[in-house]
Amino acid sequence: MDDIRIAIHDGPNAFKGRWEGRWIEYCQEQAIAYELVDSYGSDIINRLRDFDGYLWHFHFAKPTDQLMARHLLMAAEQMGLAVFPNTATCWHYDDKVAQKYLLEGVGAPLASTYVFYSKEEALDWLREARFPLVRKLRTGAGSYNVQLLKSFSEAKRFCDRAFGRGIPPVPGYFADTATKIKKTRDLSAFWGKLKRMPRRLRHVRLTGRQMAREKGYVLFQEFLPDNSHDIRVAVVGQRAWGFTRGVRDDDFRASGSGRIDYDPAKVPGECVKIAFRVNQALGAQSLACDFARDAAGEFRMLEVSYGYLGRAVHAAPGYWTPELEWCEGHYWPQEAVLVDLLQHIRDSKTARAS
């Protein structure tokens, strides 16, 4: 077998369907030498010196990850390790302000997005703006920190908070309860969620204490009306999975609705092509791109992220190549990431030996 050693973050998500767990299973199945490492340990840099690759699917909602994960991964890159996610893939993760600059920079068809760092400038712009507008915080997933502003007065209240006490980035204890109940498939799933409730409440309380309020900026995005769903395309290397997500009842948001349709005929090829192009322009290893149509019927990107649910992608009936050739079957994006990483390590070893 290959003389390759892989370090995998030893985290709480190490079970099938999550990223670390699937990497572990793949390494076991393919007889790839791997070791679990504690990424939070003070000796982690010395631990990583013995490895060729390092994988850690860090999470936006964990304050410790937000504090140090990118720095550690970048340090591992500088040491010569092949890492996932690498800097190009994750530096803009869970930061919609960063994504605005990045996507505009590579010419992606981003929905018109505006950011202001002065309350006076924001209010001057809002007085001439066309409502409704979508306001977002830099951080957050599942539509928690996304809201529709229907008037100048609503936008002004948002600015008052953003340039005043700030806005907690962590959802409240019972945020989105109605949607969560609707997504529950049966009584057994409902009781399972109920049993997990104390753990969730503890997590919300501790995270809320650690994560600072968002303040000193405002971000607005044009509202794209009359969309019954959005389109998600997730790219890993030369593979793209796609599905649609229906919007919530009496709402405009699709993320977190749980209304996923995996019919590949409903995923426009144009969105797949754009996702491949943007992923290549960013030099990313993996990227999930969300699309919706504007009033003229053109597809606009709403945001991007390297972090997404592997099991949601695995449920898709196949993937497309950059030439839009369809490959039937259920595939784990985690495996695709690891396959690409291993090939990169092999190519690097061959180049050094020649």
Side-chain angles (χ1 to χ4, degrees), residues 297-340:
E298 300 293 327
F299 290 109
R300 299 295 179 191
M301 296 184 73
L302 303 176
E303 56 190 67
V304 297
S305 176
Y306 103 91
Y308 51 87
L309 287 176
R311 64 176 179 271
V313 169
H314 179 263
Y319 66 82
W320 291 275
T321 68
E323 295 75 30
L324 297 187
E325 295 178 0
W326 177 253
C327 300
E328 191 81 21
H330 297 280
Y331 301 88
W332 289 105
Q334 298 96 313
E335 289 187 8
V337 162
L338 184 48
V339 166
D340 289 354

Side-chain angles (χ1 to χ4, degrees), residues 114 116 120-130 133 220:
Y114 310 89
F116 301 96
E120 291 71 23
E121 290 183 7
L123 293 177
D124 286 344
W125 181 83
L126 286 166
R127 289 187 180 94
E128 304 297 326
R130 182 176 178 180
L133 285 169
F220 305 106

Side-chain angles (χ1 to χ4, degrees), residues 33-55:
Y34 77 94
E35 188 173 325
L36 300 181
V37 297
D38 178 9
S39 299
Y40 307 123
S42 186
D43 63 342
I44 181 61
I45 290 296
N46 284 330
R47 290 288 308 281
L48 291 176
R49 295 188 192 282
D50 296 328
F51 295 94
D52 301 293
Y54 172 45
L55 301 108

